[in-house]
Amino acid sequence: MKLMLHVAPGIVREPLIASVILETSALVNIERASIDAVSGEIVLEVLPEKCREVKEAFERRGVEVVLLEMPVIRDEDECVHCGACVSVCPTGTFRFDNWLVVADSGKCIQCGACVTGCPQRALRLVLK
Amino acid sequence: MQEKSLSEINQRIRDGSVCVVTADQMPELVDELGPAGAVREVDVVTTGTFGAMCSSGVFLNLGHSDPPIKILKAYLNKVEAYGGVAAVDLFLGATQPSIDRGIEYGGAHVIEDLVSGKQVEVEAEGAGTDCYPQLELETNLRLDDFNQATMVNPRNAYQKYNAATNSSDRTMHTYMGTLLPRYGNVHYSGAGVLSPISNDPNFDYIGMGTRIFLGGAQGYVIGSGTQHNPQSGFSTLMVTGDLKQMSNRYLRAATFHKYGPSLYIGIGIPIPILNERMAKNTAVRDRDILTNIVDYGIQRRDRPTVKVVSYEDLKSGSVEINGKEVNTSSLSSYYMAQEVADKLKDSILCGEFLLTQPAETLSRVGSARPMKQTREFPNVEDVMSRDVVTVREDIFIDEAAKAIVGGSFDHLPVISLDGRLKGIVTTWDISKAVANGKISLVSEIMTRKVHSAQPDEPIELAARKLDTYSISALPVVDKDNRVIGMITSNDLSRLFTGRR
């Protein structure tokens, strides 16, 4: 499952991920991280059984954590099922099924490549 | 040879006995029945395509105002429409961006809004003549308020289209969508087996006056489209239809990121199966339709072909480029192309759509020549400085500093023992290293990811690189990556001030 972390300015310099991994012994995959001097936004993949523990460990450290259940949403009226989103996605979220574009939202890491790549402007990222 | 006439087929459409199939069903039918059997069994094959067709637009007649106006400039929802025709006639092109929202809203969006029944804001400036005294005008109009709204598209329904990839090391945003760096993906367009012209490549039927499905209405082929090039398998059509009859399901405005607006249009053409040759032509499969994958990483007109592939390869989801599996995806919608072919089939079956006898067949010879450019722009080699000083990567920075001071430049290309470009150091890099109190080798402080220019490259492209990467100089290299010159932003600005 995917967790999105919003790291506030005051704690962005602390080794948050490392300390949560040591505390929870969770196998964590960093899917995406954008961190600058003042804040950070990180997407982590965590096994479902560890998800709650990891989420709480981050929250105790002052990190805002959101479970990404539907990371990207599609306006069904706008989508023409062209497929411009299919090959630009780094994690293979979209595929054709009988020439309809279907999405496996669980794979999305909210990089936004599909949003700019969609000619119909049918896609948008949740919480962005 | 089994033969049939168009009037026989139209008679069957009228009496409800016509047999219509979609073009994707034809290959198996012809395999099963043979061409002669297919002519006996099948009367009409419907084709369909649904994709971005930039060369599209609408002629609009606004009716006369009081006092009357001769429109010089006109905007519909802040999108400029061409007024250089009669007083209140305008041509609204699909790709024209708006002056307020830029490419996110353009001519295509105005067209979609009109078809969706929305009101658009019209602003016009007049010439002010004795017969047309009005100078300015503002009004709000819906599609019904125009006397005529006639779609006229100079180039639609490409027989097939080159697929696109990108060898460069940055993501490119093109009219072929987002192209990821280092051959990261392939985008293609076109319906393959359902493509109208691919099912009638010699124009045995399609011609001037052929009735077609256009944007949900009945439209017509006017003739061959611009850049029509049947010799190379890239034929195109010019088409027309009444916008007032069209549907926003089959006309969809689009914006290609960092490129501009375009219009997705659904076009379907019925092909009567009059003889065995037409049966064979409509039995074309995806694997029979070949196209090139071209490299958009090379920003020139003649983009190199990376590979020749079939639509079957492209539709499979991946192709191999230089030994690597590369994901493919389409920009046109095959799902909607199928819907167009089905919709056309249904309207023929229920007797609403009769086939026309073209007034003239389309030309089997066309022209898509490059532009004749009478004003020559300089290439990089005409502008670059040739007295370039380079240093080897294994010297210390103090020697590099001496080389910079000895010349009058800020950039020092770094070369390997055999003279090939390895990196670049700037006066800033050296100052920083000295300030840190460290004597290092040039190879430790140089920028390794160095952008360069080719001598035969137009200066526009070099200028674009300087701009894109926010740098001020590019080493110019020959085919073996040996430095032969340097082009700087100073060289380019001197072109404009005329000091050379």
Side-chain angles (χ1 to χ4, degrees):
Chain A
M1 301 180 97
K2 289 190 169 52
L3 296 176
M4 175 172 266
L5 316 182
H6 294 280
V7 187
I11 52 171
V12 75
R13 294 282 128 216
E14 289 170 27
L16 297 163
I17 299 177
S19 73
V20 168
I21 292 172
L22 289 174
E23 180 191 316
T24 61
S25 309
L27 291 176
V28 161
N29 200 8
I30 303 173
E31 302 260 19
R32 188 166 69 79
S34 95
I35 297 159
D36 57 30
V38 290
S39 64
E41 197 179 85
I42 301 160
V43 176
L44 297 182
E45 168 80 33
V46 189
L47 289 173
E49 57 268 27
K50 281 280 186 186
C51 201
R52 201 170 148 189
E53 196 185 342
V54 170
K55 185 168 184 279
E56 285 168 0
F58 275 112
E59 282 166 346
R60 257 184 282 119
R61 287 162 175 81
V63 177
E64 187 194 330
V65 186
V66 183
L67 181 64
L68 287 181
E69 279 174 306
M70 279 292 279
V72 58
I73 50 175
R74 178 167 73 182
D75 183 336
E76 299 297 334
D77 293 334
E78 287 296 334
C79 178
V80 297
H81 301 279
C82 65
C85 52
V86 174
S87 69
V88 299
C89 176
T91 59
T93 300
F94 303 97
R95 64 188 162 81
F96 281 113
D97 183 5
N98 259 329
W99 294 109
L100 280 167
V101 174
V102 294
D104 177 357
S105 284
K107 292 184 175 172
C108 174
I109 53 167
Q110 290 210 316
C111 70
C114 60
V115 176
T116 49
C118 174
Q120 300 293 332
R121 296 289 182 258
L123 296 169
R124 107 184 135 77
L125 300 179
V126 181
L127 306 169
K128 278 283 212 174
Chain B
M1 192 162 153
Q2 189 79 31
E3 298 267 350
K4 231 187 294 189
S5 76
L6 201 59
S7 53
E8 268 174 71
I9 290 177
N10 276 333
Q11 191 48 47
R12 282 181 204 167
I13 296 175
R14 283 190 204 94
D15 68 24
S17 65
V18 69
C19 172
V20 188
V21 301
T22 52
D24 52 337
Q25 299 172 311
M26 223 23 203
E28 277 172 35
L29 274 171
V30 173
D31 273 358
E32 197 183 308
L33 307 168
V39 177
R40 264 193 312 275
E41 297 293 324
V42 179
D43 297 314
V44 183
V45 170
T46 60
T47 61
T49 187
F50 187 91
M53 306 197 194
C54 287
S55 190
S56 301
V58 182
F59 278 104
L60 297 166
N61 179 280
L62 280 69
H64 287 286
S65 59
D66 183 32
I69 186 169
K70 178 184 188 302
I71 296 175
L72 282 184
K73 247 183 191 300
Y75 297 89
L76 286 84
N77 286 351
K78 308 276 184 201
V79 179
E80 186 167 8
Y82 180 69
V85 269
V88 289
D89 281 341
L90 299 174
F91 183 75
L92 174 67
T95 65
Q96 182 74 35
S98 58
I99 52 174
D100 57 346
R101 282 177 274 174
I103 64 169
E104 286 302 316
Y105 187 93
H109 298 82
V110 178
I111 295 170
E112 186 185 321
D113 279 348
L114 285 170
V115 170
S116 305
K118 291 184 187 159
Q119 184 170 275
V120 302
E121 189 187 290
V122 180
E123 296 163 275
E125 294 168 26
T129 68
D130 286 347
C131 44
Y132 294 105
Q134 185 77 17
L135 284 173
E136 270 183 12
L137 179 146
E138 276 178 35
T139 183
N140 291 315
L141 301 176
R142 292 181 199 279
L143 189 53
D144 283 345
D145 299 323
F146 293 92
N147 284 315
Q148 287 80 23
T150 309
M151 176 167 271
V152 177
N153 303 342
R155 180 167 75 250
N156 278 181
Y158 252 111
Q159 179 171 6
K160 61 187 183 186
Y161 207 78
N162 283 331
T165 191
N166 170 20
S167 66
S168 80
D169 53 12
R170 71 176 178 99
T171 298
M172 301 189 82
H173 299 284
T174 72
Y175 68 86
M176 289 301 284
T178 304
L179 300 174
L180 303 173
R182 295 173 289 280
Y183 304 110
N185 65 339
V186 169
H187 269 151
Y188 65 95
S189 190
V193 64
L194 280 177
S195 156
I197 301 178
S198 288
N199 281 276
D200 184 22
N202 306 308
F203 311 115
D204 292 326
Y205 173 66
I206 299 171
M208 214 172 272
T210 299
R211 184 177 289 133
I212 61 172
F213 174 105
L214 177 64
Q218 292 188 9
Y220 296 90
V221 172
I222 300 173
S224 51
T226 54
Q227 291 178 25
H228 179 63
N229 192 1
Q231 308 96 294
S232 323
F234 288 88
S235 295
T236 68
L237 299 178
M238 193 178 288
V239 301
T240 187
D242 183 358
L243 192 71
K244 294 188 181 193
Q245 306 299 320
M246 294 184 193
S247 145
N248 60 6
R249 176 139 185 97
Y250 304 105
L251 280 187
R252 303 290 287 270
T255 295
F256 287 96
H257 186 61
K258 293 190 176 174
Y259 171 76
S262 187
L263 187 62
Y264 274 62
I265 307 180
I267 294 183
I269 303 187
I271 296 164
I273 305 304
L274 303 175
N275 54 48
E276 291 176 25
R277 183 172 131 116
M278 294 171 98
K280 281 184 206 157
N281 283 339
T282 50
V284 70
R285 287 178 155 90
D286 281 330
R287 65 170 184 243
D288 306 322
I289 305 170
L290 301 181
T291 193
N292 308 308
I293 298 177
V294 302
D295 181 4
Y296 278 63
I298 308 293
Q299 293 180 302
R300 300 298 294 268
R301 180 188 59 224
D302 300 320
R303 301 183 181 107
T305 294
V306 175
K307 195 173 185 177
V308 176
V309 291
S310 69
Y311 272 80
E312 184 174 78
D313 301 328
L314 292 168
K315 286 180 178 178
S316 75
S318 69
V319 294
E320 195 196 293
I321 296 178
N322 301 333
K324 194 181 117 190
E325 282 290 300
V326 178
N327 288 338
T328 61
S329 58
S330 57
L331 291 172
S332 54
S333 170
Y334 191 72
Y335 174 79
M336 288 300 293
Q338 284 175 319
E339 185 176 314
V340 167
D342 282 337
K343 195 94 182 156
L344 177 58
K345 176 181 161 180
D346 291 345
S347 54
I348 295 170
L349 285 174
C350 70
E352 288 169 4
F353 194 111
L354 293 169
L355 273 58
T356 55
Q357 181 75 54
E360 218 168 87
T361 56
L362 295 192
S363 171
R364 291 183 180 85
V365 185
S367 174
R369 286 174 300 167
M371 183 192 287
K372 174 182 171 187
Q373 284 167 287
T374 52
R375 188 176 159 198
E376 297 234 348
F377 280 95
N379 283 340
V380 165
E381 60 192 334
D382 304 321
V383 180
M384 69 183 189
S385 341
R386 287 169 193 277
D387 53 346
V388 55
V389 177
T390 57
V391 291
R392 290 229 317 257
E393 56 185 327
D394 55 353
I395 65 163
F396 285 98
I397 54 166
D398 51 341
E399 285 177 67
K402 277 179 208 148
I404 283 188
V405 174
S408 57
F409 40 82
D410 304 323
H411 296 77
L412 209 49
V414 183
I415 56 172
S416 60
L417 282 174
D418 58 355
R420 286 166 218 270
L421 180 64
K422 296 290 279 189
I424 195 160
V425 285
T426 63
T427 44
W428 165 254
D429 296 327
I430 292 174
S431 312
K432 201 169 69 175
V434 170
N436 288 339
K438 217 173 121 208
I439 295 296
S440 7
L441 287 175
V442 162
S443 58
E444 292 168 42
I445 64 157
M446 70 182 183
T447 301
R448 288 172 188 276
K449 200 180 161 194
V450 51
H451 300 286
S452 59
Q454 273 75 51
D456 59 349
E457 193 171 310
I459 52 160
E460 276 86 348
L461 289 183
R464 206 176 146 79
K465 276 183 205 166
L466 294 175
D467 187 40
T468 305
Y469 302 112
S470 300
I471 51 178
S472 55
L474 290 167
V476 183
V477 294
D478 66 11
K479 287 189 171 49
D480 299 321
N481 207 26
R482 284 175 217 278
V483 181
I484 55 168
M486 201 70 182
I487 184 160
T488 66
S489 43
N490 281 345
D491 296 329
L492 295 175
S493 40
R494 240 176 266 129
L495 279 180
F496 288 94
T497 54
R499 282 195 304 119
R500 285 204 57 193

